[in-house]
């Protein structure tokens, strides 16, 4: 059977960093994100007897050994659940946006998991499927359930995602500035424990997770964006002080962060920045202020995407092959 | 009497941030720095009966009320020690370098303190005078004693500076990239306790201060520079995560930091960056590698100064007026 799914990359709001169990991708703490409609991945999976081997292509090319191994973790787990050994052909395409820290590993593994599960004849609950796609990329769990969502590190022994608010229920508009970088997210995750501040981050997270949940609960877009900005700096402080001395920002990121702050402090525009594990910048604002903010950000960066929040991963009818 | 002193701005190596007692400028922890020969301040002080009032000029202009109050803290303390009420005329000039985070408040108050103490007929030991200039700017204590020096937060109830190694004993060459900024150091110092990482920084400092002292003791320039780079990121992590969300770097700082790292990791050049509380970058290297490093940094920044370490504040014979 052939199935195609679309999923949306995530913007971290309370960002995930560091894995307690790297193989099972179990994090140290809960994390919260929102899916981005302009950053989608479409993945077609065909499960067919008689295929000589699994065949995986990402954006038209053969994946690296590491990427392939991660994809296989998810596919193998689904085959195990289906009780089948059928080989698969996989084609996956991201939105044509080049940048680091845009959360495409989340949408990639969410789309793969949903398409492959259907192609193998499975019908898993989102919660259960989120545990499977987590094996490929932690944030895929949140991409799968969509909207504003939380990924629990450990909820009665399970690590899965759950939607907190739908994509359409909160008036958030994001201007995305994709910026390339050679940073390896997996290396950064492994380095996290070498920061002298990591334990203090875990303590800070307890409070901020609660505040973010409450802000999402009352649909307070300003507070959501403000907390995401604060958490950005907290996360970057951790990566900078690890043994690898990872500086996530690029000169362009700093220019945009400065401009966002100027807009907010000097012109009273409701706008905040947020960066994940890379230099790309999410500029968060309200639908009303978005066009003003976009004009200003476009004076600094050639490539700016506007995005609404997006819903969960979904099955679509148009296959890639 | 008229006296003139020259003092040298400092580059923080284990950087000072945050004051336990803001009025007396007593810090939370010891700090270590090195004076920079290319960043000097010359200050002439004339103590004369019959002056209608104190008159202070910095770089040819009247200081702000805040600057004047700080200068007066030092002058008044010296008048108290001298048992005199003589009014003074002060002229102070920094090297013609514009940038934030270059440590000129250190050289400014060290030169002021030395010139004023002599003009008032005092002959204080460096240790004692370092306690007085500390009242104007904490780092002035280290600028006063010169070379590679430590400022003790609390040594048997006193907070003073002491030289650890002379300027000429360690083969360090620094390329300084001055970058302007509107950051207010005093505001950043006051914000330090709001970082969730500040307590963890204090714990980290115990180890790094000891390692830096040992590196200076064995004249290990690579290790001195490496530890200063690590401490830079640790300090910036603190300022970023305080309530003011102070991002000290500018786009140009990031470009230079990236280039330094490339030079080191891809070409094996012994070079490290260091930034104080501002975007200006100190690029630390060996005298041997300095010309190669300078060529590369000059492709990124128009204004690059080369500097050797400098000695203590000193009395000179050429007055400014």
């Amino acid at each position: 059977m052939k199935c195609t799914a679309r999923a949306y990359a995530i913007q971290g709001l309370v960002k995930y960093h560091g894995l307690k169990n790297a193989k099972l991708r179990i994090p140290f703490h809960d994390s919260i994100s929102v899916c981005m409609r302009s950053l989608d991945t479409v993945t077609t999976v065909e499960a067919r007897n008689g295929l000589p081997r699994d065949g995986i292509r990402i954006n038209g090319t053969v994946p690296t050994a590491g990427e392939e191994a991660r994809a296989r973790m998810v596919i193998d787990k689904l085959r195990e659940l289906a009780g089948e050994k059928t080989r698969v052909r996989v084609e996956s395409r991201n939105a044509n946006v080049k940048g680091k820290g845009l959360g495409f590993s989340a949408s990639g593994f969410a789309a793969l998991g949903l398409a492959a599960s259907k192609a193998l004849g499975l019908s898993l609950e989102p919660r259960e499927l989120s545990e499977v796609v987590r094996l490929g990329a932690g944030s895929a769990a949140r991409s799968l359930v969509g909207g504003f969502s939380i990924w629990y590190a450990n909820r009665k022994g399970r690590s899965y995602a759950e939607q907190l608010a739908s994509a359409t229920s909160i008036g958030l508009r994001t201007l995305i500035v994709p910026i390339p970088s050679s940073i390896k997210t997996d290396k950064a995750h492994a380095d996290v424990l070498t920061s002298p501040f990591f334990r203090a981050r875990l303590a800070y997270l307890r409070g901020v997770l609660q505040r973010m949940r409450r802000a999402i609960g009352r649909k307070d877009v300003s507070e959501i964006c403000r907390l995401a900005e604060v958490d950005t700096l907290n996360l970057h402080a951790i990566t900078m002080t690890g043994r690898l001395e990872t500086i996530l920002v690029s000169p362009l990121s700093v220019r945009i962060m400065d401009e966002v702050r100027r807009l907010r402090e000097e012109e009273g525009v409701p706008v905040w920045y947020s960066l994940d594990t890379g230099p790309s910048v999410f500029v968060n604002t309200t639908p009303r202020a978005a066009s003003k903010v976009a004009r200003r950000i476009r004076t600094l960066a050639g490539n700016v995407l506007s995005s609404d929040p997006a819903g969960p991963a979904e099955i679509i009818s148009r296959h890639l092959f």
Side-chain angles (χ1 to χ4, degrees), chain A residues 81-124:
Chain A
L81 290 171
E84 289 211 40
K85 296 197 170 170
T86 330
R87 296 216 172 83
V88 294
R89 177 179 164 195
V90 176
E91 283 267 0
S92 183
R93 288 196 177 273
N94 293 328
N96 187 20
V97 183
K98 298 279 163 275
K100 177 68 193 161
L102 290 173
F104 275 126
S105 66
S107 51
F109 284 101
L112 171 68
L114 181 59
S117 67
K118 295 289 180 188
L120 290 162
L122 288 164
S123 202
L124 303 172

Side-chain angles (χ1 to χ4, degrees), chain A residues 246-302:
Chain A
T246 306
I247 294 175
L248 294 168
V249 296
S250 76
L252 179 56
S253 328
V254 175
R255 208 166 302 126
I256 292 165
M257 293 158 86
D258 285 349
E259 183 68 11
V260 164
R261 187 138 176 184
R262 234 185 328 266
L263 267 167
R264 184 169 79 228
E265 294 183 352
E266 295 172 14
E267 304 183 35
V269 179
V271 60
W272 295 262
Y273 58 76
S274 181
L275 291 83
D276 278 288
T277 317
S280 298
V281 186
F282 296 95
V283 177
N284 291 315
T285 186
T286 60
R288 213 173 139 172
S291 66
K292 177 172 187 167
V293 173
R295 266 198 311 280
R296 291 289 277 278
I297 300 299
R298 288 205 168 97
T299 63
L300 300 176

Side-chain angles (χ1 to χ4, degrees), chain A residues 74 78 81 109-111 113-115 117-118 122-135 137-147 149-152 158-164 311-315:
Chain A
V74 172
L78 291 169
L81 290 171
F109 284 101
L114 181 59
S117 67
K118 295 289 180 188
L122 288 164
S123 202
L124 303 172
E125 290 299 311
R127 181 177 299 195
E128 194 176 356
L129 187 53
S130 79
E131 290 179 283
V132 177
V133 300
R134 191 200 72 217
L135 301 171
S139 298
R142 288 185 264 108
S143 181
L144 186 89
V145 303
S149 59
I150 187 165
W151 168 26
Y152 298 111
R158 295 175 60 186
S159 180
Y160 62 90
E162 187 170 82
Q163 196 178 100
L164 297 174
E314 60 206 347
I315 291 293

